[in-house]
């Protein structure tokens, strides 16, 4: 019976969805509707409302339905404005691992919008945010990815941040990374993983 009731509820929402006004004010109200199907439709349509990023981020922070969160992230990606980017950065600081991972995936889809703030993220006071920024670089496909990673392994004091950057440099680096990799190896000479990762990255560079 619960499954039948849920299917009936879904059908009712889908049948009546377009009878509800779809202006931005009404969509914002529907974003907090108790029914997750209604929230999902509202989030999807709010991608066409230029000033909706703040409300979408606020909902994302408290949304417990995975399908609604997915649509909110898609809407934020489509909006791609400064407020959307700032909201995703805020998600990187969340205590929720799933929310952080979703924000990373969303930011990977917006290389042009994320690139201007990447240097700031890589120099953030929070080492975890710096690691997340390196993870975003993995799919950013931006010409500055290698220089950004070189700057990380040359300057970041945290071994875990440098280790994450080295792993990526092993995949995207060129001969331009070689000197920085040798310097990193010397700087963290007592860290076994750094020794292993830099040797692997240098080997891959030689084979490229």
């Amino acid at each position: 019976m619960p499954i039948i009731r849920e299917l009936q509820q879904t059908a009712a929402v889908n049948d009546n969805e377009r009878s509800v006004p779809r202006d931005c004010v009404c969509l914002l109200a529907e974003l907090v509707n108790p029914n997750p199907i209604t929230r999902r439709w509202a989030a999807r349509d709010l991608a066409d409302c230029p000033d909706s990023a703040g409300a979408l981020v606020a909902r994302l922070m408290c949304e417990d339905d995975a399908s609604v969160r997915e649509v909110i992230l898609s809407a934020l990606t489509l909006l791609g404005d400064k407020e959307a980017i700032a909201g995703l950065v805020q998600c990187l600081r969340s205590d929720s691992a799933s929310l952080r991972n979703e924000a990373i995936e969303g930011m990977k889809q917006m290389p042009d919008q994320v690139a201007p703030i990447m240097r700031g993220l890589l120099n953030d006071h929070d080492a975890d945010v710096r690691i997340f920024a390196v993870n975003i670089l993995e799919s950013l496909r931006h010409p500055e990815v290698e220089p950004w990673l070189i700057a990380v392994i040359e300057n970041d004091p945290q071994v875990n941040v440098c280790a994450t950057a080295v792993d990526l440099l092993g995949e995207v680096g060129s001969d331009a990374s070689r000197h920085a990799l040798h310097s990193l190896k010397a700087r963290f000479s007592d860290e076994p993983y750094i020794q292993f990762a830099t040797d692997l990255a240098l080997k891959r560079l030689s084979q490229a």
Side-chain angles (χ1 to χ4, degrees), residues 117-202:
I117 68 167
M118 183 52 64
R119 192 176 298 277
L121 290 178
L122 291 170
N123 288 282
D124 194 89
H125 65 89
D126 187 331
D128 287 337
V129 171
R130 301 200 299 274
I131 289 174
F132 301 149
V134 174
N135 290 334
I136 293 167
L137 287 180
E138 181 181 0
S139 300
L140 207 57
R141 300 183 183 277
H142 190 277
E144 291 299 307
V145 166
E146 186 177 15
W148 283 332
L149 290 171
I150 290 173
V152 169
I153 67 171
E154 287 181 334
N155 302 303
D156 200 291
Q158 292 289 331
V159 64
N160 290 337
V161 179
C162 292
T164 306
V166 168
D167 288 342
L168 184 53
L169 266 177
E171 300 176 15
V172 305
S174 68
D175 278 341
S177 303
R178 194 175 295 277
H179 176 73
L181 287 167
H182 283 295
S183 297
L184 179 69
K185 187 173 180 175
R187 182 157 67 100
F188 289 107
S189 59
D190 58 345
E191 292 288 345
Y193 184 78
I194 291 293
Q195 300 301 303
F196 166 78
T198 51
D199 284 343
L200 182 60
L202 288 165

Side-chain angles (χ1 to χ4, degrees), residues 24-39:
C24 295
V25 173
C26 290
L27 291 172
L28 289 172
E30 289 184 357
L31 197 58
V32 296
N33 189 287
N35 191 323
I37 301 168
T38 300
R39 297 199 302 274

